[in-house]
Amino acid sequence: MSTANQEPISYELDGEIAMIGLRRPEKRNAVSDRVVEALNVAIERAQDEAKAAVIFGEGTHFCAGLDLAEHMQKPLIGAVMGSRRWHRIFDGIERGAIPFAVALQGAVVGGGFELAAACHLRVADETAFFGLPEGQRGIFVGGGGSVRIARLIGAQRMGDMMLTGRTVSPVQMEVWGGVNYVVPAGTALDKAKELARLAAQNAPMSNYAILNALPRIRDMSSEDGLFTESLMSALASATPEANERLRAFLEKRTARLKAPDAE
């Protein structure tokens, strides 16, 4: 059945978790302007009514990147403004109010990799492969990849991928720092939901500080970062929820950390 006329983004609230799906499997979930705007609506809705969110792609691929057919028709200024629109919307993921997990399978290419890089918890199954073919296409990344992906895996590795067109396995991408978890084929979505539910249990102020203070501190000098850390630490600790959680820990009403299971 053709999906050409359906909404390009699905949205469902699963308890405290917003499930946001890319719905263009016949196009390997390529990102068009319509997809970006629908994604923006879903992101804003999730911020209002969920405690965490999961982004995933329907079909066998997460996202093959920019819809090149649409991109070719844009005038120069249209391409610039389109890129800036991606920046604003993806920033709403990275520095919003709730954590985002992303489930990756099949192609995680170009703009799809840029979207994944804006999320906080990246889960790739064994079928995933990562690519940045912009050099072969005669274009350049435009969805924030030059900042986010380069900071995750390093500018030299990103440049290698763009210059040569090489694809990278999920195992190698985990070593590089581009994904957090690698799981068996077909299980990325379940793992992403599990992680989102864990993050949703945190104090909202703590999550907000993690999402918004950490990336800003990274961009500061060491001294400015440490000063900002002190302020954010004090603010987070001053909330009634922090007081209750700390009291529960001291009274041994919450579980203590334990060593991870052997892998």
Side-chain angles (χ1 to χ4, degrees):
M1 183 177 67
S2 172
T3 59
N5 295 321
Q6 73 178 7
E7 288 298 316
I9 297 292
S10 64
Y11 183 95
E12 179 184 2
L13 196 61
D14 182 359
E16 297 178 324
I17 309 302
M19 303 298 298
I20 300 172
L22 309 180
R23 301 182 69 193
R24 301 181 78 201
E26 77 285 354
K27 296 285 190 181
R28 301 208 303 176
N29 293 320
V31 181
S32 64
D33 287 348
R34 184 166 174 252
V35 170
V36 170
E37 294 306 323
L39 182 62
N40 184 49
V41 172
I43 292 166
E44 290 185 347
R45 181 177 174 187
Q47 307 273 7
D48 288 338
E49 64 184 18
K51 291 188 175 180
V54 174
I55 297 178
F56 64 96
E58 294 187 2
T60 57
H61 298 282
F62 172 66
C63 178
L66 180 67
D67 188 325
L68 293 176
E70 179 182 87
H71 182 71
M72 286 179 62
Q73 299 173 8
K74 289 184 176 180
L76 178 58
I77 187 61
V80 171
M81 298 309 293
S83 172
R84 295 299 290 154
R85 183 65 174 154
W86 281 43
H87 292 164
R88 287 190 292 274
I89 292 171
F90 287 9
D91 193 62
I93 297 173
E94 184 183 30
R95 303 189 186 194
I98 62 172
F100 278 76
V102 61
L104 307 170
Q105 79 282 352
V108 187
V109 173
F113 195 0
E114 292 180 290
L115 172 58
C119 297
H120 310 100
L121 299 165
R122 289 171 293 281
V123 182
D125 82 11
E126 295 169 339
T127 71
F129 60 93
F130 298 80
L132 293 167
E134 283 76 7
Q136 289 71 50
R137 306 287 184 264
I139 57 177
F140 192 73
V141 290
S146 63
V147 173
R148 293 190 182 95
I149 296 175
R151 285 176 173 170
L152 287 174
I153 69 174
Q156 290 188 341
R157 287 176 176 144
M158 182 179 180
D160 177 359
M161 293 178 69
M162 294 177 72
L163 288 168
T164 66
R166 70 182 288 193
T167 56
V168 178
S169 73
V171 172
Q172 185 63 64
M173 189 55 69
E174 183 184 29
V175 172
W176 285 2
V179 297
N180 305 90
Y181 301 85
V182 178
V183 296
T187 65
L189 184 56
D190 288 340
K191 183 65 174 180
K193 289 172 69 174
E194 174 193 333
L195 297 171
R197 293 193 192 286
L198 286 172
Q201 296 173 21
N202 297 336
M205 187 63 185
S206 291
N207 276 348
Y208 186 80
I210 292 165
L211 305 187
N212 288 274
L214 280 181
R216 288 174 169 85
I217 290 171
R218 177 192 58 198
D219 294 339
M220 296 176 180
S221 69
S222 296
E223 188 57 38
D224 289 343
L226 292 172
F227 180 73
T228 302
E229 176 186 276
S230 296
L231 294 178
M232 187 54 68
S233 176
L235 286 170
S237 299
T239 63
E241 187 166 19
N243 185 272
E244 169 55 30
R245 286 172 180 247
L246 291 172
R247 186 179 300 280
F249 177 79
L250 292 173
E251 295 174 354
K252 299 183 179 180
R253 290 185 280 117
T254 58
R256 294 181 180 273
L257 294 179
K258 60 182 180 179
D261 296 333
E263 296 182 359

